[in-house]
Each structure stands twice: as structure tokens, then as C-alpha cells.
Amino acid sequence: MRTHTLAITSVAACTALLGIGGTAVAAGSSPAPSPSAKHHTGDGAKSLCKRAPKIDKRLTKALHRLQGNAEVRGSVARLEKRVASAKAAGHNEIETFLSHKLAHRKSMIPTLQQRQKDLAKVAAWCRTQHSTTSS
């Protein structure tokens, strides 16, 4: 009998606590923003401005590798040489595979160059924002 009473009071206490806690959480889940609070745009501008130099280094490194000579691993020239070797050896399947890979690799160059141009504009914007916020 004592165990039964203890179980009932425990359930009642938990229900009461959850009821009170639940309404407190529900009431506090969407507080009204204060007029002086900074409005976040959600576009990640601050983070992107912080990462821009590292992104630029990665883009430069990737373009340097892609535009390298036949001795540079990952370069278009080296892959062109491999395609020519496969064709000369009569390995049609290998040539087809490498040709598709080469086409993709060549298409990456203009994309990365455009990203570099866009990133330069972002970096310039970040510099103007940094100078206006520090005043």
C-alpha cells in the first residue's frame, strides 16, 4: 500500500512540475526582440569576411594546380597527357573515362576564376564594413 501511495504522489509531483515547466518554456520560447537589439541578416557576412583570406588562398592554390604543366599532379596538362597515352595504347575505355574527367577539370577553371573575382568584391565590401563599424 505504501509503495502504491508513493508512486501516485511521485506521478502527481512530476505532472505538476512538467506542467509548470512546460508553460514557462512555452512562454519564454519567443521573447519579443528589444528595439536596441542588432538585427542579424542571416547571410553569414561576418563569418565570410573572416574566412575570405583562407578561401582566396585555396582558390589560388587550386587554379595554380589546374593550370600547371604536365609535371604537376592534378593539372589539366597532365591529364591531357594521360588521355593521349591511353589513346596511343588503344585503351578505349580508359581514354573515355579520362576524357570525361578532363572535360570536368577544364570546366572547373572558369568557375574558380569567377569565384576569385566574386571573392575580391566580397573582400572589398568587408573592408568598407569593417571601417564603418569601428568608428
Side-chain angles (χ1 to χ4, degrees), residues 32-39:
S34 66
S36 64
K38 221 177 205 182
H39 180 66

Side-chain angles (χ1 to χ4, degrees), residues 57-78:
K57 284 180 185 177
R58 281 199 313 267
L59 288 171
T60 301
K61 184 178 177 182
L63 282 169
H64 181 71
R65 181 178 58 246
L66 287 171
Q67 295 170 334
N69 62 23
E71 302 301 316
V72 177
R73 293 181 75 183
S75 69
V76 170
R78 184 177 177 119

Side-chain angles (χ1 to χ4, degrees), residues 37-112:
K38 221 177 205 182
H39 180 66
H40 295 287
T41 60
D43 63 356
K46 185 177 181 180
S47 178
L48 182 57
C49 287
K50 184 179 178 181
R51 291 188 337 255
K54 287 184 180 181
I55 294 170
D56 186 46
K57 284 180 185 177
R58 281 199 313 267
L59 288 171
T60 301
K61 184 178 177 182
L63 282 169
H64 181 71
R65 181 178 58 246
L66 287 171
Q67 295 170 334
N69 62 23
E71 302 301 316
V72 177
R73 293 181 75 183
S75 69
V76 170
R78 184 177 177 119
L79 193 52
E80 286 173 338
K81 187 176 175 183
R82 289 179 64 198
V83 169
S85 295
K87 185 175 185 175
H91 301 149
N92 295 333
E93 291 79 11
I94 304 299
E95 178 193 356
T96 303
F97 176 79
L98 292 176
S99 293
H100 290 133
K101 191 173 179 177
L102 177 62
H104 174 70
R105 197 168 288 178
K106 283 182 177 179
S107 73
M108 288 173 56
I109 293 173
T111 302
L112 293 175

Side-chain angles (χ1 to χ4, degrees), residues 49 120-135:
C49 287
K121 292 176 186 176
V122 167
W125 180 85
C126 291
R127 283 190 297 274
T128 63
Q129 296 302 309
H130 186 279
S131 64
T132 59
T133 56
S134 63
S135 302

